[in-house]
Amino acid sequence: MKISKSIYLFFIPGLVLYSIFFVFPTLSALFYSFTDWDGISADFNFIGFENYQRAAAGDSIFMKSVGNNLEFMFFVAVFQTLVALVFAIFLVKNTKFNYFLRALFFFPTILSSVSVAFIWAFVYDPNLGILNQLLSLLGLEFLTQNWLGNGDIAIYSLAFTQVWFHAGQMLIIFVAGLHAIPNDLYEAAKIEGASRWQIFKKITWPLLAPSATIVIAYTTIQSFQAFDLVFALTGGGPNYSTEIIATYIYSIAFRGYDFGYASAISVIFMGIIALITYIQFKVLRSNRVSY
Amino acid sequence: MKKWLICFIAFLGMIVLAACADESSQEKQSEDDSASASEGEDTTQLSFIHWRGEDKEVFEDIISQFEEENPNINVEMNIYPSEQYQSNAQQLLRDGSTGDVFTSQPGTQFEAMKEAGLFTDLTDEDFVSKFSEGSLSVGQADGKQLAIPYQMVFNMPVYNKGMFEELGLEVPGSWSEYQEMADTLMENDIIPVVFPGADIGPNQTMNSMMMNNAKDEDIFQKLESGEESLTNEWWVTTLEDFQFFNENGYFQENALGTNQDSAMQMVANEEAAMIATGSYHMATLKELNPDLKLGFLPPITVEEGEVDYEGIHTATFMLAINSNSEKKEEAKKFINFLSEPEIASQYANGTGQHLTVTDVEYESEELQNTAHWITDKNTRFQPRYLITEAAVEEAVLGSIENVLGGASPEEAAKEAQQIVEENID
């Protein structure tokens, strides 16, 4: 079928909006990353790559925030994908009970990040929080923790909250992916005497690869963008132990009034996300199969 | 081709129609606006922005009185959450249409606004004389009065006076007396100080904890210029004091995970004798437990002869006029109105705050009982607000969290000093 060239005209409104709200701010950030702009004054100076040099060589908090973010991302990507996958496998059949459970698991996704932060601040409170109280009631006092106040575990507490927050969303993607796998393949495998594990390994997982690619890429990006949750729950503390790149950018820009440097870190941040997402796509693409 | 073109024209037509509808509604809106403008022809709309949501009702009442007295001025008050105000106020003030009267915190925010030229010089205004002289310096720069602090906050622990009376405890005057007091409280299963380490604990308590360890009021200025170091005795000793409080049970368990709401609840329930925050929590504590009798009790970490400072104060909520405003005269009238003793008294009593305005009459027992701290006590301006670099402030606070998390004071000071050095010119 020949498609008329005039169809491209329909791209214009979207393109204009995209340019205004995405392309222009991105290019602005790139521009300001070469300046010493404080975010308020009309004047600024071009300082070349100074901001980038500072980030690369002389900013221990930036390095720490990158490390924290990677740790957070790794935990979230692995556990969120696993939790969503396991739940999706159990809830794949379209029964009324499964519909209910899917809706229940999806529910946290529709909450705002700040609401989630309030809920979990209450859950994690070491003195009045329900988590420690529940553990004590169950005789598991030795497991009670200062969940957000202990710098060694605070990042994992945040990551767990992030998994709780978004696993339902990924569950739906996996359920859709599972429904797209032809039933004939399972029937054939069963006739051939394949075990459950073999069926999962040879049929389910390879054919779920496109969904998994989306889930993992999306989870990764989300975990880099978890600013509001981290900001509301710990503000990056204690002692920078939960400082992630997004909260650090905020801190530099809006507390330190150093927009030039914050822009440079934002550009680096964008590069990190792009690189990780590219690697993931490459790796997961190589696992794809079709029958 | 033709079909696509028709579709596209139809699509454009819809957009144009929508735009026209919007335009016509805007025209209607502007007609309405001009109609209301002609009703009150000489009315000036004054924008007042600040961050204190808890003062909304009191301010609304004060504004209605002001409008009654000045029928040609309407005050539109916009309140932003504290964090949002911190990040957006400068942008809002730039074009002059918002924030004819605005507020600023001392320290980093004041410095940034000053650098951006957002303040109008108020030096020669008559209302300046209505404020206590000692509080004004925080809003001054280059010999000019750029902002006027309205509130007087005491950033030091608030204690349960009734509990002290019941236990026969005296307010300690030295470090050894303080330790005796804390031990007695613990013997009675009471936490001496509840420390909200998850949010404001470190940034509030650092002030009173260091006040007599670093008596030089320029200490942070020297730190930022590279003349001083956090690894020196004044800060390491302060961190040792924090460690002592934490390891000896003066602070509650899991201090770093406790937020201010939980901390207030513990004082209201009389599980703890003191809360390491400040005067601004007294009104809420009274709401939570009306039987509480409250006072200030800063940690005295030196022996009696070495006590120079008895507490910490902050002259804050600084009123200022936007240099880009076209309504400066009206803005001055509004600040003048706020500085009248009756209005200031209404604000002080309605919000449970001490003010910098002289001749304010405090009605509540708590405000009356603690007002003498303004005149009779040798309090020191909050040192934290004298840190002008946000990254330095965060390093200082981070070192406290590091110590409470188990690091040694020396190690924490060293790590923080490294961050300071990375962030000073």
Side-chain angles (χ1 to χ4, degrees):
Chain A
M1 190 179 76
K2 197 184 170 191
I3 295 174
S4 163
K5 281 181 185 167
S6 58
I7 196 169
Y8 296 111
L9 290 172
F10 285 92
F11 295 153
I12 292 172
L15 195 66
V16 169
L17 290 175
Y18 185 79
S19 303
I20 293 171
F21 294 109
F22 292 93
V23 178
F24 177 69
T26 307
L27 293 177
S28 295
L30 189 64
F31 172 79
Y32 286 119
S33 71
F34 296 107
T35 72
D36 62 358
W37 189 43
D38 62 7
I40 310 165
S41 312
D43 305 323
F44 52 79
N45 301 306
F46 282 96
I47 55 169
F49 285 90
E50 215 174 280
N51 286 327
Y52 290 94
Q53 282 168 354
R54 184 178 156 194
D59 188 347
S60 53
I61 304 305
F62 173 59
M63 293 302 173
K64 192 168 174 58
S65 68
V66 172
N68 286 341
N69 221 146
L70 291 175
E71 207 173 339
F72 181 79
M73 180 214 77
F74 183 75
F75 185 96
V76 173
V78 169
F79 284 92
Q80 191 161 294
T81 307
L82 278 177
V83 168
L85 181 63
V86 170
F87 279 57
I89 289 168
F90 283 109
L91 302 177
V92 69
K93 281 187 184 166
N94 288 334
T95 64
K96 276 186 184 173
F97 186 59
N98 282 357
Y99 283 142
F100 168 75
L101 287 178
R102 278 184 225 159
L104 192 71
F105 293 132
F106 188 76
F107 176 71
T109 309
I110 64 170
L111 298 175
S112 74
S113 309
V114 178
S115 311
V116 171
F118 272 119
I119 294 167
W120 282 88
F122 177 67
V123 171
Y124 284 141
D125 189 298
N127 307 303
L128 309 168
I130 53 169
L131 183 55
N132 277 355
Q133 285 185 14
L134 193 69
L135 289 169
S136 300
L137 271 176
L138 295 171
L140 300 170
E141 258 167 0
F142 64 96
L143 288 178
T144 58
Q145 294 287 336
N146 189 358
W147 300 102
L148 297 174
N150 180 344
D152 294 333
I153 59 165
I155 195 82
Y156 301 109
S157 304
L158 290 175
F160 182 82
T161 306
Q162 175 80 355
V163 171
W164 177 87
F165 191 11
H166 292 294
Q169 200 179 354
M170 305 308 152
L171 165 87
I172 300 301
I173 297 173
F174 274 133
V175 168
L178 287 168
H179 282 158
I181 300 174
N183 215 23
D184 311 356
L185 294 173
Y186 289 115
E187 283 168 8
K190 277 179 193 166
I191 292 166
E192 296 290 336
S195 66
R196 279 189 175 186
W197 171 243
Q198 282 173 320
I199 291 173
F200 177 79
K201 200 176 150 196
K202 299 286 183 187
I203 300 172
T204 309
W205 181 243
L207 289 174
L208 259 188
S211 305
T213 308
I214 294 166
V215 166
I216 294 173
Y218 196 45
T219 301
T220 304
I221 293 165
Q222 264 180 349
S223 60
F224 274 110
Q225 293 176 334
F227 169 81
D228 28 15
L229 192 68
V230 177
F231 189 75
L233 274 172
T234 62
N239 191 31
Y240 308 104
S241 62
T242 59
E243 191 84 86
I244 57 170
I245 305 172
T247 55
Y248 188 50
I249 290 171
Y250 174 87
S251 179
I252 297 165
F254 296 111
R255 286 188 182 139
Y257 302 109
D258 193 348
F259 271 69
Y261 186 46
S263 300
I265 294 196
S266 303
V267 172
I268 297 171
F269 185 29
M270 203 166 60
I272 293 172
I273 295 180
L275 181 70
I276 291 175
T277 312
Y278 175 77
I279 293 168
Q280 284 176 343
F281 267 99
K282 276 278 172 195
V283 171
L284 290 164
R285 249 178 193 281
S286 64
N287 289 336
R288 285 190 191 183
V289 293
S290 55
Y291 294 109
Chain B
M1 170 76 186
K2 210 174 175 184
K3 212 195 265 176
W4 283 113
L5 206 58
I6 290 166
C7 283
F8 184 70
I9 289 166
F11 178 67
L12 276 184
M14 278 160 61
I15 292 175
V16 171
L17 274 175
C20 287
D22 189 41
E23 201 169 284
S24 61
S25 67
Q26 276 177 6
E27 274 167 18
K28 191 176 179 308
Q29 177 68 42
S30 73
E31 276 167 23
D32 291 347
D33 287 349
S34 57
S36 63
S38 61
E39 273 169 25
E41 216 161 90
D42 299 324
T43 303
T44 303
Q45 189 83 15
L46 197 66
S47 163
F48 172 41
I49 60 169
H50 62 92
W51 65 84
R52 287 194 55 88
E54 56 272 54
D55 299 352
K56 184 171 177 275
E57 277 178 32
V58 181
F59 265 131
E60 277 172 350
D61 190 39
I62 290 173
I63 286 168
S64 66
Q65 291 175 57
F66 174 75
E67 288 174 344
E68 216 167 280
E69 207 171 278
N70 298 275
N72 297 332
I73 306 174
N74 277 335
V75 179
E76 189 192 5
M77 176 172 66
N78 286 105
I79 305 172
Y80 299 87
S82 180
E83 275 293 341
Q84 199 184 333
Y85 192 85
Q86 173 86 5
S87 55
N88 293 348
Q90 286 84 333
Q91 301 295 339
L92 291 169
L93 295 168
R94 277 177 75 176
D95 75 344
S97 62
T98 306
D100 300 303
V101 177
F102 66 98
T103 50
S104 162
Q105 286 174 340
T108 319
Q109 192 176 46
F110 177 74
E111 286 296 320
M113 286 176 165
K114 186 194 81 183
E115 290 301 317
L118 294 172
F119 292 114
T120 298
D121 184 6
L122 303 174
T123 314
D124 299 326
E125 299 305 322
D126 291 341
F127 54 73
V128 176
S129 62
K130 293 181 187 172
F131 294 83
S132 75
E133 213 179 319
S135 67
L136 291 170
S137 60
V138 69
Q140 293 166 348
D142 309 324
K144 292 175 186 167
Q145 189 71 50
L146 300 180
I148 299 177
Y150 196 47
Q151 293 179 355
M152 181 63 87
V153 170
F154 293 100
N155 314 77
M156 51 195 178
V158 174
Y159 81 110
N160 181 339
K161 279 175 95 170
M163 182 186 277
F164 271 53
E165 283 164 14
E166 266 176 41
L167 295 171
L169 285 169
E170 297 274 324
V171 169
S174 67
W175 180 220
S176 45
E177 285 177 19
Y178 194 94
Q179 284 174 291
E180 275 174 41
M181 171 213 71
D183 291 340
T184 310
L185 287 166
M186 287 192 293
E187 280 162 20
N188 286 278
D189 291 329
I190 294 163
I191 299 160
V193 188
V194 59
F195 180 85
D199 40 47
I200 61 171
N203 70 41
Q204 296 298 287
T205 317
M206 67 164 269
N207 302 295
S208 48
M209 207 68 116
M210 68 170 280
M211 66 185 173
N212 287 305
N213 290 337
K215 292 172 185 171
D216 180 357
E217 296 209 43
D218 293 331
I219 196 86
F220 283 122
Q221 198 185 332
K222 287 178 181 169
L223 178 70
E224 290 181 319
S225 66
E227 290 168 63
E228 260 297 344
S229 168
L230 291 175
T231 54
N232 288 347
E233 195 190 347
W234 63 279
W235 189 248
V236 175
T237 307
T238 303
L239 292 178
E240 282 168 356
D241 292 338
F242 270 104
Q243 188 184 41
F244 185 90
F245 271 62
N246 197 40
E247 289 183 354
N248 289 282
Y250 289 15
F251 289 152
Q252 81 284 12
E253 262 184 57
N254 300 322
L256 278 180
T258 307
N259 61 34
Q260 52 183 318
D261 295 328
S262 301
M264 276 195 284
Q265 201 61 57
M266 289 165 85
V267 175
N269 295 344
E270 307 205 50
E271 292 168 47
M274 290 177 254
I275 180 166
T277 54
S279 55
Y280 45 88
H281 273 159
M282 288 165 79
T284 315
L285 285 169
K286 283 290 278 184
E287 271 174 36
L288 292 169
N289 182 351
D291 298 332
L292 290 178
K293 275 169 54 180
L294 303 169
F296 299 132
L297 205 166
I300 303 297
T301 56
V302 293
E303 285 310 325
E304 205 163 359
E306 296 168 50
V307 177
D308 278 9
Y309 295 105
E310 295 167 282
I312 299 288
H313 73 263
T314 309
T316 183
F317 198 66
M318 302 203 289
L319 298 167
I321 296 175
N322 189 344
S323 60
N324 299 316
S325 167
E326 289 173 358
K327 303 155 193 168
K328 291 193 181 76
E329 287 313 310
E330 289 84 354
K332 285 173 188 171
K333 276 187 184 175
F334 184 58
I335 295 184
N336 183 47
F337 187 76
L338 292 176
S339 63
E340 285 172 13
E342 316 84 69
I343 298 298
S345 300
Q346 182 189 345
Y347 178 75
N349 294 310
T351 60
Q353 301 280 338
H354 292 104
L355 295 196
T356 53
V357 178
T358 50
D359 303 325
V360 170
E361 284 182 19
Y362 298 109
E363 285 167 9
S364 80
E365 199 186 332
E366 270 60 44
L367 290 176
Q368 282 174 355
N369 287 345
T370 48
H372 69 280
W373 280 82
I374 301 174
T375 48
D376 303 344
K377 298 275 189 179
N378 186 23
T379 59
R380 170 180 175 173
F381 181 73
Q382 183 180 170
R384 181 175 69 98
Y385 272 146
L386 298 173
I387 307 175
T388 55
E389 281 285 336
V392 172
E393 183 186 331
E394 281 172 29
V396 168
L397 298 174
S399 65
I400 297 171
E401 292 168 351
N402 205 0
V403 165
L404 297 179
S408 74
E410 291 78 13
E411 190 188 323
K414 199 176 155 195
E415 274 181 36
Q417 180 59 28
Q418 190 201 327
I419 299 166
V420 169
E421 283 166 17
E422 286 169 6
N423 286 282
I424 56 175
D425 296 327

